[in-house]
Amino acid sequence: MLGSSGRLDGVTRPVKRASVILAALGAAAYMLSAGPGQAVVGAPAHASSRSARPATEGPIQHVVVILQENHSFDNVLGKWCAINARCDGATTGLLSDGTSISLPPAKDIVGPALHTVLAQRTAIDGGNMDDFNLAGNCGPSTGFECYQQFDPTQVPNLVALADQFAVSDRTFEFRTTPSFVGHMIFAAATQDDFQGDNPRHVLPGFSRGPGWGCDSNLETGWSSTGRPPYVLVPTCVPDQSGNGPAVPSPVSYVPTIFDRLDAAGLRWMLYSGTGQPGTPTGTSGYGWGICPTFYECLSTEASHYVPANHILTAAAAGTLPSFSVVTPTGPRSQHNGDSMAVGDNWIGSVVGAIENGPDWGSTAVFITYDDCGCFYDHVNPLQYDPNWGIRIPMVIVSPYARPGFTDSTPVTFLGILAYVEHQFGLQPLVPSADGASYDFSDAFDYDQAPIPPVPMTSTSIPPSEREYLGAHPVVGNDPT
C-alpha cells in the first residue's frame, strides 16, 4: 500500500539483502540451476505442467492483442452501451456520500486519476463502487475527473468495431494493479507475488535504467505470501537458472505464454513502443513492453521485441505470427495525460492494416486496456471473485466474431491467454488461473459467413491540443 510519503506501507528493505531474505524465506526461495531431469529448487507449484488440450478446430491462426492504457468500461463504452441498450453501461455514478451524479463529458486529454493498488481498492469500497472520488486526483476540485465519460463520437474507431463485432461487458482486471503487474499477467497469468504497484525506488548503489524490468535497476514490494509485510526486491522475473536480478532476489521463475508457443513451434512477437529503451521512457513505451520484466525474454528472446509500427508491415505482408501483443508509444497510449483521439487513430491504423491484409480471414483481435486508470465503473467485480479488479473495455474483432454480440460471461484478462491456449493446443501456465478461465468462446461462430472489414477513420487533432501534447509527453513510467 502507499503511505502519505508515497512509499509502500509495510515494505522493508533488508540491510543485508541476501542474508536477511534467505533467513526469512529459506534458501529454497531462490532459483538454482538444474541439470537434465532435475527439479528446479524453489519453482512454485503453479509452474507445474499439465497436459495440453487439443487445438480448437477452426480458421483462426493469428491472435492479436491491442493493449492500451488506463480506462474502465463505463469511461469508454458506458454511454455507447446505454444508447444502444446492448450491454451493461452506466451514465450515472455514485460518490462516497451516496450522491448520484451524471457522468461528466470527458475531455480528449485524459485526466490524472490515481490508480495504485490502494486507490483501486478504495474506489471499489468493498463492492459498493462509490469511492472513486476518494481514490486520488478525483475530488470536486478536479470536477470529479475520474467520473468522466466519453461520447461514442470521441472514439469512432473503437465504437465502429464494437458496433459490428463482439463486446465483452464482463471483463475485469485479474488483480487491482496498475501497469507493471497488469502487463506481467498478460504473459504469465500471475503476479509472481509482487505487491502490484508500479516500481519507483532505485536499487541502492545502482543508477536508474530504462523501463520497469530487469534492466531498470528498480525495486518494488514482494512477499512469499502475497500479503504484507513486503520486502523490496528487483523488478525482474529470473530465468530458470536464477539469472536476471541485479541483486539476490527471492522472486521465482515462472513460465510465460511465449514459452508455451516456443515449445509448440509457433511464432510470437511483442510489437512494443519504439522497440528501444528511449528517452524519455514514457514516449518510447518501453515501460509497457512486457519483455524486459522477464529476464528469459530480455536475454535470449529480444528478437521477438520490435517497434509497435512493425505490426502494420506484418499485417500488410500477411506475415502475422501466431500470437502478437501490441503496446503503444506514449502519445498513442490513451494514458492519463494523453489524447484519446490519438490513441483511437492508432487502434484504427492497426485494425485497418489487419482488415486489409492477407491474414484478415484467419485472425482474432482483442482490443483492451491494462487497468482502470482509474476511471469510474459501476459493476462490482467482487461478486465474481474477491481478488478481481475493475471492469475494463474489451472489443473482439474477427470475421468470425458474432456480429453485434455482447459476451457477459465474467472473465479477466486471463481469458485471452485461455483463448490462445485453446486455439493452439497449449498447456496452461497456471491450472487454477488461465487453466480454469473462460476463453471468450461464446463471442465466436466459426461456421458463420465471415464478417467483412469495417472502414477505419482518422480524427483530426486540434492545433491547440497538438501543441499541448508536444509540450507534455506522457510519462510511461507511470508515477501513479
Side-chain angles (χ1 to χ4, degrees):
M1 304 299 181
L2 285 177
S4 59
S5 64
R7 291 190 57 81
L8 290 162
D9 290 341
V11 176
T12 60
R13 179 186 290 114
V15 177
K16 296 181 180 178
R17 291 174 181 274
S19 61
V20 171
I21 294 174
L22 280 169
L25 303 175
Y30 283 88
M31 297 302 302
L32 303 179
S33 299
Q38 292 180 305
V40 178
V41 177
H46 60 227
S48 61
S49 63
R50 193 175 86 172
S51 298
R53 59 183 286 172
T56 299
E57 292 185 7
I60 300 302
Q61 300 175 32
H62 314 281
V63 179
V64 177
V65 180
I66 300 175
L67 183 55
Q68 294 291 101
E69 292 292 310
N70 298 22
H71 290 279
S72 72
F73 188 95
D74 277 338
N75 175 240
V76 179
L77 293 176
K79 187 172 182 180
W80 172 80
C81 281
I83 291 171
N84 290 276
R86 176 178 145 187
C87 42
D88 187 1
T91 57
T92 61
L94 291 174
L95 301 179
S96 56
D97 64 1
T99 302
S100 177
I101 63 168
S102 295
L103 300 181
K107 303 172 185 176
D108 180 59
I109 297 176
V110 184
L114 202 64
H115 45 285
T116 60
V117 172
L118 178 59
Q120 294 192 37
R121 291 178 180 172
T122 297
I124 292 171
D125 185 27
N128 294 315
M129 312 304 290
D130 59 359
D131 279 0
F132 285 78
N133 58 304
L134 302 181
N137 298 337
C138 189
S141 63
T142 71
F144 300 111
E145 242 182 340
C146 73
Y147 285 79
Q148 290 183 99
Q149 184 171 68
F150 288 93
D151 187 88
T153 59
Q154 293 177 276
V155 283
N157 287 319
L158 188 66
V159 163
L161 296 168
D163 279 332
Q164 183 68 19
F165 300 101
V167 169
S168 165
D169 66 354
R170 282 296 184 275
T171 298
F172 299 86
E173 299 171 330
F174 179 61
R175 297 290 183 264
T176 52
T177 56
S179 294
F180 170 62
V181 163
H183 287 72
M184 178 189 301
I185 288 164
F186 269 92
T190 176
Q191 64 188 83
D192 204 12
D193 295 323
F194 284 103
Q195 180 265 350
D197 279 316
N198 294 340
R200 56 174 56 84
H201 305 297
V202 180
L203 286 162
F206 289 81
S207 298
R208 174 75 163 86
W212 284 327
C214 296
D215 53 349
S216 69
N217 294 329
L218 292 176
E219 60 184 2
T220 192
W222 179 94
S223 166
S224 62
T225 66
R227 299 183 300 276
Y230 296 98
V231 295
L232 287 168
V233 300
T235 54
C236 179
V237 176
D239 66 14
Q240 293 190 62
S241 297
N243 301 313
V247 299
S249 171
V251 177
S252 295
Y253 162 80
V254 290
T256 66
I257 191 66
F258 315 124
D259 296 318
R260 298 290 192 256
L261 292 161
D262 283 338
L266 299 172
R267 289 177 57 236
W268 57 274
M269 294 296 289
L270 297 173
Y271 297 98
S272 300
T274 63
Q276 299 293 329
T279 302
T281 53
T283 300
S284 76
Y286 191 69
W288 304 316
I290 299 177
C291 186
T293 298
F294 299 89
Y295 188 69
E296 183 177 59
C297 182
L298 191 64
S299 63
T300 64
E301 300 170 342
S303 62
H304 294 269
Y305 181 90
V306 298
N309 60 13
H310 285 201
I311 186 74
L312 308 178
T313 305
T319 57
L320 289 175
S322 298
F323 183 55
S324 307
V325 181
V326 184
T327 57
T329 59
R332 293 170 168 170
S333 68
Q334 300 176 313
H335 188 283
N336 308 62
D338 247 314
S339 165
M340 283 295 284
V342 170
D344 188 71
N345 287 346
W346 166 243
I347 292 170
S349 67
V350 175
V351 175
I354 295 170
E355 287 183 316
N356 295 309
D359 290 332
W360 166 243
S362 56
T363 299
V365 182
F366 293 85
I367 306 169
T368 191
Y369 293 77
D370 70 336
D371 63 60
C372 60
C374 190
F375 295 94
Y376 179 79
D377 192 82
H378 78 284
V379 176
N380 170 22
L382 308 185
Q383 64 185 305
Y384 304 114
D385 190 291
N387 297 307
W388 284 7
I390 291 166
R391 190 174 62 144
I392 47 87
M394 179 68 75
V395 178
I396 303 167
V397 178
S398 174
Y400 299 97
R402 291 186 173 180
F405 179 74
T406 299
D407 191 337
S408 295
T409 302
V411 67
T412 70
F413 297 140
L414 300 189
I416 298 176
L417 293 179
Y419 182 82
V420 172
E421 291 158 2
H422 298 167
Q423 285 299 308
F424 301 126
L426 309 178
Q427 62 184 355
L429 297 164
V430 184
S432 61
D434 56 313
S437 177
Y438 169 67
D439 65 356
F440 297 104
S441 55
D442 289 349
F444 292 88
D445 181 356
Y446 301 122
D447 295 322
Q448 72 184 19
I451 304 174
V454 173
M456 296 286 93
T457 63
S458 182
T459 300
S460 297
I461 309 301
S464 59
E465 191 169 307
R466 290 201 300 269
E467 181 179 348
Y468 173 88
L469 293 171
H472 299 82
V474 67
V475 179
N477 282 327
D478 182 4
T480 59

